[in-house]
């Protein structure tokens, strides 16, 4: 065996100069504070979403639903089209998709139906909560959503709003905001018990089981 080259990684010193090189940080303490702030915000959002999801699941489990078959089939088509896009498979039917991917058609239809029922129940419960609690979408929330999209796609907010109006997409965006408002309402109304603090590493490993 002939060694051609040996390399060693030299990490920079963890000091104020290192922090300044990373961006708009005045010192290492500032960098640490920003990291802690971002992590706290992230963890808080994860916990809030999981709390709302757990509450909704409990409501679904104790509720009865009368969902038309036509609505289930339509939702199955939506999920199937999303699945095709994810895999990049140019199939026109579920059978063609299964033939290309080597999946069992019966199992695939069963999974699509199960996922469709799950999505529909979740949607119907959230919609019912919004009606019962008179949860609305404000114009300011819509404007903020448009502004967020404009930054994401690098296009002026007025142009994004015009595109939404011309394609009759406002109802879809407002519905998405409404569902988020329901999640927020559930978390605000929930009685959440505090648990013993854990490290970020353990928190991330627990995953959805945290709820």
């Amino acid at each position: 065996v002939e060694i051609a080259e040996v390399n060693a990684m030299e990490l920079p010193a963890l000091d104020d100069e290192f922090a300044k090189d990373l961006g708009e940080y005045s010192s290492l303490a500032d960098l640490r504070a920003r990291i802690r702030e971002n992590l706290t915000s992230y963890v808080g959002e994860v916990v809030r979403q999981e709390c709302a999801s757990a509450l909704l699941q409990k409501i679904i489990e104790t509720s009865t639903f009368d969902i038309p078959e036509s609505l289930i089939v339509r939702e199955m088509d939506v999920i199937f089209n999303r699945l095709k896009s994810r895999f990049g498979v140019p199939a026109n039917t579920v059978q063609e998709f299964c033939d290309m991917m080597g999946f069992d058609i019966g199992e695939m239809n069963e999974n699509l139906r199960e996922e469709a029922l799950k999505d529909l129940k979740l949607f119907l419960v959230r919609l019912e909560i919004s009606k019962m609690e008179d949860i609305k979408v404000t114009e300011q929330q819509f404007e903020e959503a448009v502004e967020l999209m404009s930054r994401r796609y690098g296009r002026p907010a007025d142009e994004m709003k015009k595109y939404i109006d011309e394609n009759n997409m406002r109802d879809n965006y407002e519905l998405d905001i409404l569902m988020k408002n329901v999640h927020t309402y559930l978390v605000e109304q929930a009685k959440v018990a505090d648990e013993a603090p854990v490290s970020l590493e353990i928190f991330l490993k627990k995953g959805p089981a945290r709820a």
Side-chain angles (χ1 to χ4, degrees):
V1 177
E2 180 180 348
I3 299 177
E5 188 176 3
V6 177
N7 293 301
M9 181 180 293
E10 294 185 7
L11 297 177
L14 198 59
D15 53 21
D16 290 346
E17 291 304 316
F18 170 77
K20 292 175 182 178
D21 289 341
L22 291 180
E24 298 178 358
Y25 305 106
S26 59
S27 63
L28 181 60
D30 183 25
L31 173 60
R32 290 182 183 276
R34 298 281 192 92
I35 292 175
R36 176 174 289 277
E37 181 181 334
N38 291 337
L39 287 176
T40 300
S41 176
Y42 166 74
V43 170
E45 182 61 25
V46 169
V47 172
R48 284 191 291 272
Q49 290 301 319
E50 290 184 354
C51 177
S53 296
L55 290 169
L56 287 167
Q57 187 57 41
K58 289 293 184 182
I59 296 172
I60 290 172
E61 290 172 0
T62 56
S63 302
T64 56
F65 299 86
D66 184 16
I67 305 176
E69 183 64 24
S70 58
L71 193 58
I72 298 174
V73 172
R74 188 170 67 182
E75 185 64 21
M76 288 173 66
D77 286 338
V78 171
I79 296 172
F80 173 59
N81 288 327
R82 201 160 56 223
L83 193 64
K84 285 194 306 179
S85 177
R86 185 187 309 163
F87 281 91
V89 177
N92 294 318
T93 65
V94 177
Q95 183 66 64
E96 287 183 9
F97 180 83
C98 289
D99 290 343
M100 292 179 181
M101 300 297 296
F103 296 155
D104 179 76
I105 180 67
E107 185 176 346
M108 174 60 69
N109 280 325
E110 184 179 342
N111 290 338
L112 288 174
R113 186 178 183 83
E114 182 179 336
E115 193 67 25
L117 281 169
K118 177 181 173 183
D119 289 351
L120 287 169
K121 288 178 180 179
L122 180 60
F123 171 76
L124 291 172
V125 164
R126 289 185 294 180
L127 188 62
E128 187 63 24
I129 291 173
S130 72
K131 293 177 181 177
M132 293 176 62
E133 304 300 334
D134 195 30
I135 299 173
K136 306 289 186 181
V137 176
T138 66
E139 185 63 26
Q140 181 180 350
Q141 287 178 321
F142 177 73
E143 294 289 341
E144 289 173 353
V146 172
E147 183 63 33
L148 181 63
M149 284 186 293
S150 85
R151 292 198 301 268
R152 182 181 302 166
Y153 296 108
R155 297 168 62 182
D158 290 342
E159 185 179 327
M160 292 298 301
K161 188 181 292 185
K162 181 180 179 182
Y163 175 81
I164 291 172
D165 291 339
E166 289 178 347
N167 290 274
N168 299 315
M169 298 170 64
R170 177 161 181 146
D171 287 347
N172 293 336
Y173 283 102
E174 289 191 346
L175 185 59
D176 184 56
I177 298 171
L178 180 64
M179 296 297 103
K180 292 178 181 177
N181 287 349
V182 170
H183 274 234
T184 300
Y185 171 81
L186 289 173
V187 173
E188 290 175 348
Q189 298 299 314
K191 296 179 180 178
V192 182
D194 292 333
E195 295 186 358
V198 298
S199 68
L200 179 64
E201 183 180 3
I202 294 176
F203 175 83
L204 294 175
K205 283 182 178 179
K206 283 186 176 181
R210 286 184 295 268

